[in-house]
Amino acid sequence: MPTPEDLQALTAAFTIVFIAELGDKTQLLIVAFAAKIGFARTAITLVLGSILVSGVSAFLGGALQDVLPQRTIQIAAAVLLIGFGLFLLFRGSEEEEEEVKEVRAAGWFRPVAAATTVFVLAEIADKTMLATLALAAGTGRPLPVWAGASAGLIAANVIAIALVGAFIARISDRMRDVGVAVIFIVSGVILLLWS
């Protein structure tokens, strides 16, 4: 049975992470994933990525920062984002058609695993991760903080997908790829500038 302190920690984590995620680079990534791999795969990515990132933050975040410098993690994530964006921007239409066939044929695992990896890397050392880390350390209640932070990430990103989803469905595949590429490149550049 949760105690009042557990509920306070959960509520605080949800509120802080939800607000911190609004307009964040990973929210842009989730919208880009929805355009690229579809809503259902993106929803799985969002849930898995949120649970992983919040879990790492609540239980192992301090150890990760001791092993790898924050700057190294941010640079690696930025390079991945920019590289993927450039790939999308400069590939040919034949490659695009082949990729669409491959994504449809790949089922669920490959697209979700790739998107979840990028999402987790983009979230590492982000303000939502640091807020979760600080809340878990400050309250001494990692489980409710983990649950609240995960729910906050998921809620903020579902709202973004819902708001942008109707627009995305009406544009051509090439325009969608260009938009997604720009989001990835800009997110990577911002991450590099802030690292």
Side-chain angles (χ1 to χ4, degrees):
M1 184 79 179
T3 66
E5 291 82 10
D6 289 339
L7 294 175
Q8 286 175 343
L10 187 141
T11 304
F14 176 87
T15 305
I16 290 169
V17 170
F18 178 85
I19 292 169
E21 184 68 5
L22 295 175
D24 193 56
K25 68 184 177 302
T26 50
Q27 195 170 47
L28 296 174
L29 290 177
I30 286 296
V31 169
F33 291 147
K36 198 75 195 142
I37 64 173
F39 179 77
R41 290 178 179 139
T42 301
I44 293 169
T45 294
L46 177 58
V47 170
L48 290 175
S50 296
I51 289 170
L52 284 170
V53 166
S54 298
V56 167
S57 304
F59 296 104
L60 303 173
L64 180 64
Q65 288 184 338
D66 291 341
V67 175
L68 293 173
Q70 180 179 346
R71 182 171 167 77
T72 302
I73 295 167
Q74 287 179 324
I75 290 171
V79 168
L80 279 173
L81 292 171
I82 292 169
F84 188 65
L86 290 172
F87 169 76
L88 285 175
L89 201 56
F90 293 111
R91 69 185 173 155
S93 59
E94 288 178 13
E95 290 176 74
E96 187 176 325
E97 289 173 16
E98 277 301 309
E99 185 187 285
V100 168
K101 289 177 188 173
E102 284 178 24
V103 167
R104 287 185 182 139
W108 290 84
F109 181 75
R110 276 193 355 217
V112 168
T116 302
T117 301
V118 172
F119 178 81
V120 168
L121 283 173
E123 269 296 326
I124 291 177
D126 192 52
K127 62 188 173 205
T128 52
M129 183 178 189
L130 297 176
T132 304
L133 232 168
L135 277 169
T139 62
R141 302 191 179 292
L143 284 174
V145 168
W146 180 18
S150 297
L153 275 173
I154 292 166
N157 286 300
V158 165
I159 289 169
I161 293 169
L163 291 175
V164 179
F167 171 73
I168 287 173
R170 294 185 179 152
I171 60 176
S172 72
D173 287 343
R174 184 62 192 150
M175 286 304 297
R176 195 175 322 163
D177 275 355
V178 169
V180 170
V182 168
I183 289 171
F184 276 106
I185 292 167
V186 169
S187 298
V189 168
I190 289 170
L191 193 55
L192 274 178
L193 292 175
W194 286 346
S195 62

